[in-house]
Amino acid sequence: MDRKRLGIAATAALAPAMWGTTYLVTTQLLPEGRPLLLAALRALPAGLLLLLLGRKLPKGRWWGRAAILGMLNIGLFFPLTFVAAYRLPGGVAATIGAIQPLLVAGFSIGVLGVRPGRRALFAGLVGVGGVALLVLNGHARLDGLGIAAMVAAIALMAMGTVLIRRWGRPEGATLLDLTAWQLLAGSIVLVPLAAFVEGAPPALSAANLSGFAYLSLFSTAVGYVLWFRGIDRLGAGPASFLGLINPVIATLGGLVVLHQTLTPWQLLGLALALGALLLGQSPTRRPTPPVPTPTTPTPTPTPVPAR
């Protein structure tokens, strides 16, 4: 990988690295049992901030595209991930999240016309195995609703990732604008839905406010701009492998903050996850259409003059 591409991948990887803290922030700092409220307060302030910075609105067909992307990446994805965070251990959620590169590869066949190579599929399987070794343990609690929510969330984001690659962004719009449109499109649905389903929000403590500020400003506003930039420059497939950094950062955070230690199996899982991340960074190539074989024109017989 050349130096420029490596720099883009490194900055894009900051997004899943920050997302890796969502589980800890949700369980330690945010109100319990309010997935829609958490999703709305994460998306709306970030979207308004980016809109103020970009000062552009969609035009023409991009109103519809922004609505679709906003629902896939924000409006449905956010509440589903919070449901999973409430109901699943972080390790189980992270392992399910590791299937995203495989889903992106599958969706790319139909949407982008890109057939993933064997190396990408192998890297995707290695990534799932590595994350499972890294974060799962024999006491992991499985919850059917939590698993279903996480699988649905990852599938929605995988489709959103592929569509962003297919549609790109309109002329004159920046990634700041594209991110703002999606956050606000998701918020338009999330805010009234949260009020209708969950009622008035509770009084927020200082800890709640700090958790929301972190998730909205860093994990969402900054994180999604970097993530969409990675998809734009690297491609949907290579960018999706950067998500494997999520459980890696979460595990390393446990080592630093909670003074945990890694078992030999976890060390193997860490090596496999990082190896899959690097292996998946090869650029995806569209299939080259076959070059038509030139045909030799049949010579026209020269007419013989009548005698």
Side-chain angles (χ1 to χ4, degrees):
M1 189 166 26
D2 60 74
R3 186 172 299 179
K4 182 179 179 181
R5 188 176 177 86
L6 180 61
I8 295 171
T11 54
L14 293 175
M18 288 186 284
W19 299 340
T21 63
T22 300
Y23 177 80
L24 182 63
V25 171
T26 300
T27 55
Q28 300 299 317
L29 297 178
L30 301 183
E32 296 183 4
R34 296 293 188 107
L36 292 173
L37 174 67
L38 269 57
L41 291 183
R42 179 182 177 184
L44 182 60
L48 291 174
L49 174 62
L50 294 180
L51 185 65
L52 287 174
L53 293 175
R55 296 181 179 274
K56 287 184 181 178
L57 292 174
K59 295 180 181 180
R61 61 184 178 182
W62 269 96
W63 282 102
R65 289 181 174 183
I68 294 172
L69 293 174
M71 289 306 298
L72 291 173
N73 291 321
I74 308 297
L76 295 173
F77 176 74
F78 276 11
L80 287 171
T81 53
F82 281 122
V83 169
Y86 283 137
R87 305 182 71 95
L88 293 177
V92 175
T95 303
I96 296 173
I99 69 174
Q100 184 179 354
L102 296 174
L103 293 178
V104 167
F107 292 147
S108 294
I109 297 174
V111 178
L112 300 178
V114 173
R115 188 175 297 277
R118 293 180 181 178
R119 179 163 63 174
L121 295 177
F122 175 73
L125 294 172
V126 170
V128 174
V131 170
L133 287 174
L134 180 64
V135 298
L136 288 182
N137 58 66
H139 304 289
R141 175 177 52 86
L142 300 180
D143 178 90
L145 181 59
I147 291 174
M150 193 63 190
V151 170
I154 295 303
L156 289 168
M157 190 175 186
M159 178 56 76
T161 298
V162 173
L163 287 178
I164 287 175
R165 181 61 176 176
R166 176 180 175 84
W167 290 337
R169 49 193 165 96
E171 184 179 355
T174 67
L175 289 169
L176 208 71
D177 301 319
L178 183 61
T179 308
W181 301 343
Q182 293 181 62
L183 288 168
L184 291 177
S187 300
I188 289 174
V189 176
L190 287 172
V191 172
L193 188 61
F196 178 76
V197 174
E198 298 176 353
L204 300 178
S205 65
N208 297 154
L209 292 174
S210 64
F212 281 123
Y214 169 78
L215 284 183
S216 186
L217 179 59
F218 295 101
S219 183
T220 304
V222 176
Y224 271 86
V225 170
L226 295 177
W227 179 249
F228 294 147
R229 179 174 179 263
I231 297 172
D232 183 64
R233 305 288 179 83
L234 301 174
S240 67
F241 278 94
L242 297 176
L244 295 175
I245 202 70
N246 182 320
V248 171
I249 293 297
T251 302
L252 294 179
L255 295 176
V256 175
V257 178
L258 304 177
H259 307 290
Q260 297 173 343
T261 58
L262 291 179
T263 66
W265 285 111
Q266 286 179 305
L267 288 172
L268 175 61
L270 177 63
L272 290 174
L274 291 176
L277 188 155
L278 295 175
L279 190 62
Q281 291 312 302
S282 58
T284 305
R285 294 181 175 86
R286 292 180 183 272
T288 305
V291 179
T293 304
T295 56
T296 304
T298 305
T300 304
T302 303
V304 179
R307 295 185 180 181

